[in-house]
Amino acid sequence: SSLPAKSPFQMAPLAFLGAVAGRSPVFGKGESTPFQSDFCEGTVCLVHKSSEDGKLVTPAELTAVLEVSGPPTACWEFQLQVRFKIVPKGPVFVGFELQDGPLQLGIFTRGIARAILSVGQSMARQRGADIRYTLGDEKEGERPHIAIPVTAFLRMFRSDGPVPLPIMHPDKNGTWHLSQGSWQPIERAADLFDTEHYFTLVFNTNYIDFYLWNFVSIPALGSLDLATLCGSQALHTLIYDDGEAGRDTAEAEDFQRRRAFLEMELLPPHARHEQDEDVALCAESVDRN
């Protein structure tokens, strides 16, 4: 069945993948978008729930993707399938970053930011990991950034070649290798990543709605406009390591040395509306593919 005419699934893309030149739109409706970078190649798939006039209009097949990690049902799920061209050095991180300037925080908003970071840190520790973060106002040239090792995420898949996305697997936690057409559990070793296999990393949450540009269901806070912290800036998602030299843990964050395997720019609502003239062409291109 067709979606409502004004459904976000047929509106502007949620994000753009890759560098400024030749960027690819990502709409959040489960399409696969290929990418190439200096350090890896692969495909991304973003599934995001959507509502119109307060009613969910997410197609059933996409709702099923969002329900795997629940309850509660995730707001979105991001599947990144990647073949590394170089073996990552140390931990690989997924991070969110603002690139246009530091957070403009007052006493109240700084307290909110710390509360959200505290929730994130608690969730990360439950998975045996720590998050990195900076608010971007403690050191000149610093960018607001929060990141967590990809090994802290609950589902990871390995295969000898590319496989269609999204991957549907009923288990909520584990690492699997595709063998003779079925997913077999394997150990998630520290040296799991190599240049021979394809790895599909699965990220999701029920705490951020990018269509609405809101934090949702945050303990003790409820809902909160992302713009309260981000202002009018886009939110950049990065998959990276600390570069060939690694990182001196005694130092403050040094983002100059990192190697970005993938970068995706998530657009706030006002930025999506500013691109209305380009949206029809983007959507037409995705529909053809």
Side-chain angles (χ1 to χ4, degrees):
S1 61
S2 60
L3 296 173
K6 293 184 179 180
S7 167
F9 283 102
Q10 297 180 344
M11 293 172 63
L14 268 179
F16 279 95
L17 188 67
V20 174
R23 299 192 307 167
S24 300
V26 178
F27 288 84
K29 58 179 181 179
E31 74 280 6
S32 292
T33 306
F35 72 93
Q36 283 269 4
S37 74
D38 291 341
F39 307 119
C40 68
E41 62 183 355
T43 306
V44 302
C45 175
L46 176 63
V47 175
H48 201 299
K49 74 175 184 181
S50 178
S51 61
E52 184 68 32
D53 297 328
K55 297 180 180 179
L56 286 176
V57 294
T58 313
E61 65 271 18
L62 299 186
T63 300
V65 175
L66 300 176
E67 289 176 342
V68 171
S69 61
T73 300
C75 287
W76 53 264
E77 179 160 301
F78 180 65
Q79 296 194 5
L80 165 65
Q81 187 171 115
V82 58
R83 185 191 69 81
F84 295 103
K85 297 178 182 178
I86 57 170
V87 178
K89 177 78 171 182
V92 177
F93 292 86
V94 57
F96 292 103
E97 178 177 276
L98 300 179
Q99 297 186 353
D100 297 334
L103 298 173
Q104 303 298 318
L105 300 179
I107 295 175
F108 176 70
T109 49
R110 180 174 292 275
I112 291 175
R114 296 292 183 189
I116 292 172
L117 288 169
S118 177
V119 171
Q121 187 73 272
S122 175
M123 293 174 62
R125 285 174 177 163
Q126 290 175 14
R127 302 181 184 184
D130 278 322
I131 61 172
R132 295 178 172 183
Y133 68 88
T134 172
L135 299 181
D137 58 356
E138 300 167 1
K139 174 180 164 184
E140 187 173 353
E142 214 172 39
R143 293 172 173 174
H145 183 96
I146 182 170
I148 187 170
V150 299
T151 52
F153 288 85
L154 297 182
R155 284 179 288 152
M156 191 178 298
F157 301 87
R158 188 181 71 182
S159 55
D160 295 328
V163 298
L165 299 180
I167 293 174
M168 292 291 293
H169 192 279
D171 291 344
K172 301 179 182 181
N173 191 355
T175 307
W176 298 269
H177 177 76
L178 185 61
S179 177
Q180 299 182 341
S182 64
W183 293 107
Q184 302 298 321
I186 59 173
E187 181 182 355
R188 188 177 298 186
D191 59 352
L192 179 67
F193 295 135
D194 57 34
T195 59
E196 307 299 321
H197 295 93
Y198 282 75
F199 298 89
T200 301
L201 316 176
V202 180
F203 320 119
N204 54 52
T205 186
N206 61 303
Y207 290 116
I208 304 176
D209 187 317
F210 287 121
Y211 271 129
L212 300 179
W213 209 245
N214 281 346
F215 292 106
V216 293
S217 304
I218 299 294
L221 289 176
S223 298
L224 180 72
D225 191 338
L226 268 170
T228 304
L229 301 180
C230 301
S232 61
Q233 296 189 57
L235 192 59
H236 292 258
T237 303
L238 301 111
I239 309 294
Y240 70 93
D241 70 2
D242 286 321
E244 188 61 35
R247 172 176 177 261
D248 182 354
T249 55
E251 296 180 359
E253 299 290 358
D254 183 358
F255 298 128
Q256 301 304 314
R257 296 180 296 184
R258 70 187 178 192
R259 292 184 296 203
F261 296 104
L262 173 137
E263 181 172 353
M264 185 172 72
E265 182 185 21
L266 286 153
L267 303 175
H270 74 86
R272 295 175 221 155
H273 298 323
E274 289 170 1
Q275 302 184 61
D276 279 346
E277 292 184 3
D278 298 329
V279 168
L281 294 176
C282 293
E284 192 176 312
S285 173
V286 169
D287 289 339
R288 283 200 302 268
N289 294 332

